[in-house]
Amino acid sequence: MFVLGIFLGAVALFALVAAVVGKAVKFRRSAWLTFGGSLFLAVTFVVVSCISVVPTRNVGIVTSWNKPTGRTTGAGLQWTAPWQDIDEWDATGQTYAHLGDSCVWVTIAAQRRACIPVQIEWSAKAEKAPENWAAYREVGDKTRFEVFVERRVNPQINGSLTSIFAAFDPLGSVDVTSGDAPAPDLNQTYKEPLIKALTSELGDEIVVKSVAFESPRYDEPTTQAIAAYGQKILEARNLEIDKANAKTRAEITRTDASVDQVARCLQIAEKLGKEPGLCMGNSVSLTRSVTSDK
């Protein structure tokens, strides 16, 4: 608009000269009308070119002939020099949303694969807006900010996820006493490391506001490995129980063998309310006597 205003101003100037030096009355009248109309439009276009509206929570990047001046503005109605423009840089809250089936696949311990459902809320720093605006260009129908997110922010988030989960071993969550495999609490273990990693890589350009994980999913080989590991723990536990029971039975047998048979027979007689005299004969047991009575 500023260029058009300059052009109309030049037209108004030529019309003024024509109106002053012209001799024909009709010609001079037309020149004065042209001058007035051109001057009005020139002033209007120049004034309009000084006004820009920046959306709420966005940062305005002041440019001069498509080059950043280093000056930024807040949201709302903004005034600039006629030859300056304001481009927008999104400073609103952004969301890296990969929950549910949109989870991020990463390689974990033992070259296994896990799909990590995560949501990260972040926003761009206003003070870095001019620098980042100048570093990226529009690509197709994508704005500079969208290109910045696609080429700078998202790759760093993906890289940080890959790094912090490289040593993650889902077999470590299997209960060694029961063989159960509860879902690991990724928020407790990996929330702070991810925030720290993102701050290290992008802390000069964005602010990480929150990180939230859901329960991970695994590829088929990893799922089978978890199940097999849990089964081995269960089998080992059952084997230990069997060994303990066998040891107990052996102890009972040894104890029974060491007890005097007559004394044992008398204990049984007392318990059953039978005559103890049956225990006095050799090779006579109260059990056999009771059985024969029946």
Short mmCIF file of all heavy atoms in Angstrom, two decimals, residues 50-103:
data_model
loop_
_atom_site.label_atom_id
_atom_site.label_comp_id
_atom_site.label_asym_id
_atom_site.label_seq_id
_atom_site.Cartn_x
_atom_site.Cartn_y
_atom_site.Cartn_z
N CYS A 50 0.54 2.15 7.59
CA CYS A 50 1.19 2.29 8.90
C CYS A 50 0.49 1.49 9.98
O CYS A 50 0.99 1.41 11.11
CB CYS A 50 1.20 3.76 9.32
SG CYS A 50 2.17 4.85 8.24
N ILE A 51 -0.66 0.90 9.68
CA ILE A 51 -1.47 0.22 10.68
C ILE A 51 -1.40 -1.29 10.46
O ILE A 51 -1.53 -1.77 9.34
CB ILE A 51 -2.94 0.67 10.61
CG1 ILE A 51 -3.04 2.18 10.83
CG2 ILE A 51 -3.78 -0.07 11.65
CD1 ILE A 51 -4.44 2.73 10.64
N SER A 52 -1.18 -2.02 11.52
CA SER A 52 -1.21 -3.49 11.49
C SER A 52 -1.92 -3.99 12.74
O SER A 52 -1.88 -3.34 13.79
CB SER A 52 0.20 -4.09 11.43
OG SER A 52 0.87 -3.71 10.25
N VAL A 53 -2.56 -5.14 12.63
CA VAL A 53 -3.25 -5.75 13.77
C VAL A 53 -2.60 -7.11 14.04
O VAL A 53 -2.59 -7.99 13.16
CB VAL A 53 -4.75 -5.93 13.51
CG1 VAL A 53 -5.41 -6.62 14.71
CG2 VAL A 53 -5.41 -4.58 13.25
N VAL A 54 -2.04 -7.27 15.23
CA VAL A 54 -1.40 -8.53 15.62
C VAL A 54 -2.38 -9.32 16.48
O VAL A 54 -2.89 -8.79 17.47
CB VAL A 54 -0.10 -8.27 16.40
CG1 VAL A 54 0.56 -9.58 16.83
CG2 VAL A 54 0.86 -7.43 15.56
N PRO A 55 -2.67 -10.57 16.13
CA PRO A 55 -3.63 -11.37 16.91
C PRO A 55 -3.18 -11.55 18.36
O PRO A 55 -2.00 -11.44 18.69
CB PRO A 55 -3.66 -12.71 16.17
CG PRO A 55 -3.21 -12.39 14.78
CD PRO A 55 -2.22 -11.29 14.94
N THR A 56 -4.14 -11.86 19.19
CA THR A 56 -3.89 -12.06 20.63
C THR A 56 -2.82 -13.12 20.86
O THR A 56 -2.84 -14.18 20.23
CB THR A 56 -5.18 -12.47 21.34
OG1 THR A 56 -6.18 -11.47 21.09
CG2 THR A 56 -4.97 -12.63 22.83
N ARG A 57 -1.90 -12.84 21.75
CA ARG A 57 -0.80 -13.72 22.18
C ARG A 57 0.26 -13.96 21.10
O ARG A 57 1.19 -14.71 21.31
CB ARG A 57 -1.34 -15.08 22.67
CG ARG A 57 -2.17 -14.97 23.94
CD ARG A 57 -2.56 -16.35 24.45
NE ARG A 57 -3.31 -16.26 25.69
CZ ARG A 57 -2.78 -16.15 26.90
NH1 ARG A 57 -1.47 -16.10 27.01
NH2 ARG A 57 -3.53 -16.07 27.97
N ASN A 58 0.12 -13.32 19.96
CA ASN A 58 1.16 -13.44 18.94
C ASN A 58 2.21 -12.34 19.11
O ASN A 58 1.97 -11.33 19.78
CB ASN A 58 0.57 -13.38 17.54
CG ASN A 58 0.02 -14.72 17.09
OD1 ASN A 58 -0.17 -15.61 17.90
ND2 ASN A 58 -0.25 -14.85 15.81
N VAL A 59 3.35 -12.55 18.49
CA VAL A 59 4.41 -11.55 18.48
C VAL A 59 4.48 -10.94 17.09
O VAL A 59 4.44 -11.66 16.09
CB VAL A 59 5.77 -12.19 18.85
CG1 VAL A 59 6.89 -11.15 18.77
CG2 VAL A 59 5.71 -12.79 20.24
N GLY A 60 4.57 -9.62 17.03
CA GLY A 60 4.71 -8.94 15.75
C GLY A 60 6.18 -8.73 15.41
O GLY A 60 6.94 -8.18 16.21
N ILE A 61 6.60 -9.16 14.22
CA ILE A 61 7.98 -8.98 13.76
C ILE A 61 7.99 -7.79 12.80
O ILE A 61 7.42 -7.85 11.71
CB ILE A 61 8.50 -10.23 13.03
CG1 ILE A 61 8.26 -11.49 13.87
CG2 ILE A 61 9.96 -10.06 12.68
CD1 ILE A 61 8.99 -11.51 15.17
N VAL A 62 8.62 -6.71 13.22
CA VAL A 62 8.66 -5.51 12.39
C VAL A 62 9.74 -5.68 11.33
O VAL A 62 10.91 -5.94 11.66
CB VAL A 62 8.93 -4.25 13.23
CG1 VAL A 62 8.97 -3.00 12.33
CG2 VAL A 62 7.85 -4.10 14.31
N THR A 63 9.35 -5.56 10.06
CA THR A 63 10.29 -5.71 8.95
C THR A 63 10.33 -4.43 8.12
O THR A 63 9.36 -3.68 8.06
CB THR A 63 9.89 -6.88 8.04
OG1 THR A 63 8.61 -6.61 7.44
CG2 THR A 63 9.81 -8.18 8.83
N SER A 64 11.46 -4.20 7.50
CA SER A 64 11.63 -3.07 6.59
C SER A 64 12.12 -3.61 5.26
O SER A 64 13.23 -4.17 5.19
CB SER A 64 12.64 -2.06 7.17
OG SER A 64 12.83 -0.98 6.28
N TRP A 65 11.29 -3.50 4.24
CA TRP A 65 11.59 -4.08 2.94
C TRP A 65 11.92 -5.57 3.06
O TRP A 65 12.89 -6.06 2.53
CB TRP A 65 12.72 -3.33 2.24
CG TRP A 65 12.49 -1.84 2.17
CD1 TRP A 65 13.19 -0.88 2.83
CD2 TRP A 65 11.49 -1.17 1.42
NE1 TRP A 65 12.69 0.37 2.55
CE2 TRP A 65 11.63 0.22 1.67
CE3 TRP A 65 10.46 -1.57 0.56
CZ2 TRP A 65 10.82 1.19 1.09
CZ3 TRP A 65 9.65 -0.60 -0.02
CH2 TRP A 65 9.83 0.75 0.24
N ASN A 66 11.06 -6.26 3.85
CA ASN A 66 11.11 -7.71 4.05
C ASN A 66 12.35 -8.17 4.81
O ASN A 66 12.73 -9.35 4.74
CB ASN A 66 11.03 -8.45 2.70
CG ASN A 66 10.43 -9.83 2.86
OD1 ASN A 66 9.54 -10.04 3.68
ND2 ASN A 66 10.91 -10.79 2.08
N LYS A 67 12.97 -7.29 5.56
CA LYS A 67 14.09 -7.67 6.42
C LYS A 67 13.74 -7.28 7.86
O LYS A 67 13.25 -6.17 8.09
CB LYS A 67 15.38 -6.97 6.00
CG LYS A 67 15.92 -7.46 4.65
CD LYS A 67 17.23 -6.79 4.33
CE LYS A 67 17.79 -7.27 3.00
NZ LYS A 67 19.09 -6.64 2.68
N PRO A 68 14.00 -8.17 8.84
CA PRO A 68 13.64 -7.85 10.23
C PRO A 68 14.47 -6.69 10.76
O PRO A 68 15.68 -6.61 10.53
CB PRO A 68 13.95 -9.15 10.99
CG PRO A 68 14.95 -9.86 10.14
CD PRO A 68 14.63 -9.50 8.72
N THR A 69 13.81 -5.79 11.47
CA THR A 69 14.50 -4.65 12.06
C THR A 69 15.03 -4.97 13.46
O THR A 69 15.81 -4.19 14.01
CB THR A 69 13.55 -3.45 12.16
OG1 THR A 69 12.46 -3.79 13.04
CG2 THR A 69 12.99 -3.09 10.79
N GLY A 70 14.58 -6.11 14.02
CA GLY A 70 14.94 -6.46 15.39
C GLY A 70 13.91 -6.01 16.38
O GLY A 70 13.96 -6.38 17.56
N ARG A 71 12.95 -5.23 15.93
CA ARG A 71 11.89 -4.74 16.81
C ARG A 71 10.71 -5.71 16.78
O ARG A 71 10.36 -6.24 15.73
CB ARG A 71 11.43 -3.36 16.36
CG ARG A 71 10.26 -2.80 17.16
CD ARG A 71 9.67 -1.56 16.50
NE ARG A 71 8.36 -1.25 17.05
CZ ARG A 71 7.45 -0.53 16.43
NH1 ARG A 71 7.70 -0.04 15.21
NH2 ARG A 71 6.27 -0.29 16.98
N THR A 72 10.13 -5.95 17.94
CA THR A 72 8.93 -6.78 18.04
C THR A 72 7.81 -5.98 18.70
O THR A 72 8.06 -4.99 19.39
CB THR A 72 9.20 -8.04 18.87
OG1 THR A 72 9.60 -7.68 20.19
CG2 THR A 72 10.27 -8.91 18.21
N THR A 73 6.60 -6.41 18.48
CA THR A 73 5.45 -5.76 19.09
C THR A 73 4.59 -6.81 19.79
O THR A 73 4.71 -8.00 19.54
CB THR A 73 4.59 -5.03 18.04
OG1 THR A 73 3.92 -6.01 17.23
CG2 THR A 73 5.45 -4.14 17.15
N GLY A 74 3.70 -6.32 20.62
CA GLY A 74 2.73 -7.19 21.23
C GLY A 74 1.51 -7.34 20.35
O GLY A 74 1.51 -7.01 19.16
N ALA A 75 0.43 -7.87 20.94
CA ALA A 75 -0.80 -8.06 20.19
C ALA A 75 -1.59 -6.75 20.12
O ALA A 75 -1.32 -5.80 20.85
CB ALA A 75 -1.64 -9.16 20.85
N GLY A 76 -2.56 -6.71 19.21
CA GLY A 76 -3.43 -5.55 19.09
C GLY A 76 -3.05 -4.64 17.92
O GLY A 76 -2.27 -5.01 17.04
N LEU A 77 -3.60 -3.43 17.92
CA LEU A 77 -3.35 -2.45 16.86
C LEU A 77 -1.96 -1.85 17.03
O LEU A 77 -1.62 -1.33 18.09
CB LEU A 77 -4.41 -1.35 16.93
CG LEU A 77 -4.40 -0.31 15.80
CD1 LEU A 77 -4.76 -0.97 14.47
CD2 LEU A 77 -5.37 0.82 16.11
N GLN A 78 -1.16 -1.92 15.98
CA GLN A 78 0.23 -1.44 16.03
C GLN A 78 0.50 -0.46 14.89
O GLN A 78 -0.03 -0.59 13.79
CB GLN A 78 1.20 -2.62 15.93
CG GLN A 78 0.99 -3.70 16.97
CD GLN A 78 1.30 -3.23 18.38
OE1 GLN A 78 2.11 -2.31 18.58
NE2 GLN A 78 0.65 -3.84 19.38
N TRP A 79 1.33 0.55 15.20
CA TRP A 79 1.72 1.56 14.21
C TRP A 79 3.19 1.39 13.86
O TRP A 79 4.03 1.16 14.72
CB TRP A 79 1.49 2.97 14.76
CG TRP A 79 0.04 3.31 14.90
CD1 TRP A 79 -0.76 3.04 15.97
CD2 TRP A 79 -0.77 3.98 13.95
NE1 TRP A 79 -2.03 3.49 15.75
CE2 TRP A 79 -2.07 4.09 14.51
CE3 TRP A 79 -0.54 4.52 12.68
CZ2 TRP A 79 -3.13 4.69 13.84
CZ3 TRP A 79 -1.59 5.13 12.01
CH2 TRP A 79 -2.86 5.20 12.58
N THR A 80 3.49 1.51 12.59
CA THR A 80 4.87 1.45 12.11
C THR A 80 5.08 2.54 11.08
O THR A 80 4.13 3.22 10.65
CB THR A 80 5.18 0.09 11.47
OG1 THR A 80 4.30 -0.11 10.35
CG2 THR A 80 4.99 -1.05 12.46
N ALA A 81 6.32 2.69 10.66
CA ALA A 81 6.61 3.59 9.55
C ALA A 81 5.95 3.05 8.28
O ALA A 81 5.74 1.84 8.15
CB ALA A 81 8.12 3.72 9.36
N PRO A 82 5.59 3.94 7.33
CA PRO A 82 4.87 3.49 6.13
C PRO A 82 5.62 2.42 5.34
O PRO A 82 4.99 1.58 4.69
CB PRO A 82 4.72 4.77 5.31
CG PRO A 82 4.81 5.89 6.30
CD PRO A 82 5.77 5.40 7.35
N TRP A 83 6.94 2.45 5.36
CA TRP A 83 7.71 1.48 4.59
C TRP A 83 8.00 0.18 5.36
O TRP A 83 8.68 -0.70 4.88
CB TRP A 83 9.04 2.09 4.14
CG TRP A 83 9.86 2.61 5.29
CD1 TRP A 83 10.74 1.93 6.06
CD2 TRP A 83 9.82 3.93 5.81
NE1 TRP A 83 11.28 2.73 7.02
CE2 TRP A 83 10.73 3.99 6.89
CE3 TRP A 83 9.10 5.10 5.48
CZ2 TRP A 83 10.93 5.14 7.63
CZ3 TRP A 83 9.32 6.25 6.20
CH2 TRP A 83 10.23 6.27 7.27
N GLN A 84 7.43 0.10 6.57
CA GLN A 84 7.62 -1.10 7.39
C GLN A 84 6.35 -1.95 7.41
O GLN A 84 5.24 -1.44 7.24
CB GLN A 84 8.00 -0.71 8.83
CG GLN A 84 9.37 -0.07 8.96
CD GLN A 84 9.70 0.30 10.39
OE1 GLN A 84 8.80 0.56 11.21
NE2 GLN A 84 10.99 0.33 10.71
N ASP A 85 6.54 -3.25 7.62
CA ASP A 85 5.42 -4.19 7.76
C ASP A 85 5.58 -4.95 9.06
O ASP A 85 6.65 -4.95 9.68
CB ASP A 85 5.39 -5.18 6.59
CG ASP A 85 5.03 -4.50 5.28
OD1 ASP A 85 4.08 -3.69 5.28
OD2 ASP A 85 5.69 -4.79 4.26
N ILE A 86 4.52 -5.64 9.46
CA ILE A 86 4.56 -6.50 10.63
C ILE A 86 4.13 -7.90 10.23
O ILE A 86 3.03 -8.10 9.70
CB ILE A 86 3.64 -5.98 11.76
CG1 ILE A 86 4.16 -4.66 12.30
CG2 ILE A 86 3.56 -7.01 12.88
CD1 ILE A 86 3.35 -4.10 13.46
N ASP A 87 5.03 -8.85 10.43
CA ASP A 87 4.70 -10.24 10.19
C ASP A 87 4.46 -10.89 11.55
O ASP A 87 5.01 -10.45 12.56
CB ASP A 87 5.84 -10.95 9.46
CG ASP A 87 5.35 -12.18 8.71
OD1 ASP A 87 4.19 -12.58 8.95
OD2 ASP A 87 6.11 -12.74 7.91
N GLU A 88 3.65 -11.95 11.56
CA GLU A 88 3.27 -12.57 12.83
C GLU A 88 4.14 -13.78 13.15
O GLU A 88 4.56 -14.52 12.27
CB GLU A 88 1.80 -13.02 12.77
CG GLU A 88 0.83 -11.88 12.55
CD GLU A 88 -0.56 -12.39 12.21
OE1 GLU A 88 -0.80 -13.60 12.43
OE2 GLU A 88 -1.38 -11.60 11.73
N TRP A 89 4.41 -13.95 14.45
CA TRP A 89 5.11 -15.13 14.96
C TRP A 89 4.27 -15.67 16.11
O TRP A 89 4.01 -14.97 17.08
CB TRP A 89 6.51 -14.76 15.44
CG TRP A 89 7.36 -15.94 15.79
CD1 TRP A 89 7.63 -16.41 17.04
CD2 TRP A 89 8.03 -16.80 14.89
NE1 TRP A 89 8.43 -17.51 16.98
CE2 TRP A 89 8.71 -17.78 15.66
CE3 TRP A 89 8.15 -16.85 13.51
CZ2 TRP A 89 9.48 -18.78 15.10
CZ3 TRP A 89 8.91 -17.85 12.94
CH2 TRP A 89 9.58 -18.81 13.73
N ASP A 90 3.85 -16.91 15.99
CA ASP A 90 2.90 -17.49 16.95
C ASP A 90 3.56 -17.70 18.31
O ASP A 90 4.49 -18.49 18.44
CB ASP A 90 2.38 -18.82 16.40
CG ASP A 90 1.11 -19.27 17.11
OD1 ASP A 90 0.85 -18.76 18.21
OD2 ASP A 90 0.39 -20.10 16.54
N ALA A 91 3.07 -17.00 19.31
CA ALA A 91 3.59 -17.17 20.68
C ALA A 91 2.56 -17.81 21.58
O ALA A 91 2.72 -17.82 22.80
CB ALA A 91 4.01 -15.81 21.25
N THR A 92 1.49 -18.35 20.99
CA THR A 92 0.48 -19.02 21.80
C THR A 92 0.98 -20.40 22.22
O THR A 92 2.01 -20.89 21.73
CB THR A 92 -0.83 -19.18 21.00
OG1 THR A 92 -0.57 -19.98 19.83
CG2 THR A 92 -1.37 -17.84 20.58
N GLY A 93 0.25 -21.04 23.12
CA GLY A 93 0.62 -22.38 23.55
C GLY A 93 0.49 -23.40 22.43
O GLY A 93 -0.53 -23.44 21.74
N GLN A 94 1.51 -24.20 22.23
CA GLN A 94 1.52 -25.24 21.20
C GLN A 94 1.47 -26.61 21.87
O GLN A 94 1.87 -26.76 23.03
CB GLN A 94 2.78 -25.13 20.34
CG GLN A 94 3.00 -23.75 19.73
CD GLN A 94 1.92 -23.38 18.74
OE1 GLN A 94 1.47 -24.21 17.95
NE2 GLN A 94 1.50 -22.13 18.77
N THR A 95 0.99 -27.60 21.14
CA THR A 95 0.87 -28.95 21.70
C THR A 95 1.48 -29.97 20.75
O THR A 95 1.11 -30.05 19.58
CB THR A 95 -0.60 -29.32 21.94
OG1 THR A 95 -1.19 -28.36 22.82
CG2 THR A 95 -0.70 -30.70 22.60
N TYR A 96 2.44 -30.72 21.28
CA TYR A 96 2.98 -31.89 20.59
C TYR A 96 2.17 -33.06 21.11
O TYR A 96 2.46 -33.63 22.16
CB TYR A 96 4.47 -32.02 20.93
CG TYR A 96 5.17 -33.24 20.33
CD1 TYR A 96 5.83 -33.16 19.11
CD2 TYR A 96 5.21 -34.45 21.03
CE1 TYR A 96 6.49 -34.26 18.59
CE2 TYR A 96 5.87 -35.55 20.51
CZ TYR A 96 6.51 -35.45 19.29
OH TYR A 96 7.17 -36.54 18.77
N ALA A 97 1.10 -33.40 20.40
CA ALA A 97 0.13 -34.39 20.88
C ALA A 97 0.30 -35.70 20.14
O ALA A 97 -0.01 -35.80 18.95
CB ALA A 97 -1.29 -33.87 20.72
N HIS A 98 0.79 -36.71 20.85
CA HIS A 98 0.96 -38.06 20.28
C HIS A 98 0.48 -39.07 21.32
O HIS A 98 1.27 -39.85 21.86
CB HIS A 98 2.42 -38.30 19.90
CG HIS A 98 2.86 -37.54 18.69
ND1 HIS A 98 2.73 -38.02 17.41
CD2 HIS A 98 3.39 -36.30 18.58
CE1 HIS A 98 3.18 -37.12 16.55
NE2 HIS A 98 3.59 -36.06 17.24
N LEU A 99 -0.81 -39.06 21.57
CA LEU A 99 -1.41 -39.97 22.53
C LEU A 99 -2.15 -41.08 21.79
O LEU A 99 -2.44 -40.98 20.60
CB LEU A 99 -2.37 -39.22 23.45
CG LEU A 99 -1.75 -38.11 24.31
CD1 LEU A 99 -2.84 -37.38 25.10
CD2 LEU A 99 -0.70 -38.68 25.27
N GLY A 100 -2.47 -42.15 22.52
CA GLY A 100 -3.23 -43.25 21.92
C GLY A 100 -2.50 -43.89 20.76
O GLY A 100 -1.30 -44.20 20.84
N ASP A 101 -3.22 -44.08 19.66
CA ASP A 101 -2.64 -44.72 18.48
C ASP A 101 -1.61 -43.84 17.77
O ASP A 101 -0.90 -44.32 16.88
CB ASP A 101 -3.74 -45.10 17.49
CG ASP A 101 -4.65 -46.19 18.04
OD1 ASP A 101 -4.20 -46.92 18.94
OD2 ASP A 101 -5.82 -46.30 17.59
N SER A 102 -1.52 -42.57 18.14
CA SER A 102 -0.55 -41.66 17.53
C SER A 102 0.77 -41.63 18.29
O SER A 102 1.58 -40.71 18.10
CB SER A 102 -1.13 -40.24 17.46
OG SER A 102 -2.30 -40.21 16.67
N CYS A 103 0.99 -42.62 19.16
CA CYS A 103 2.20 -42.65 19.98
C CYS A 103 3.46 -42.70 19.11
O CYS A 103 3.40 -43.02 17.92
CB CYS A 103 2.16 -43.85 20.92
SG CYS A 103 1.86 -45.43 20.10
#
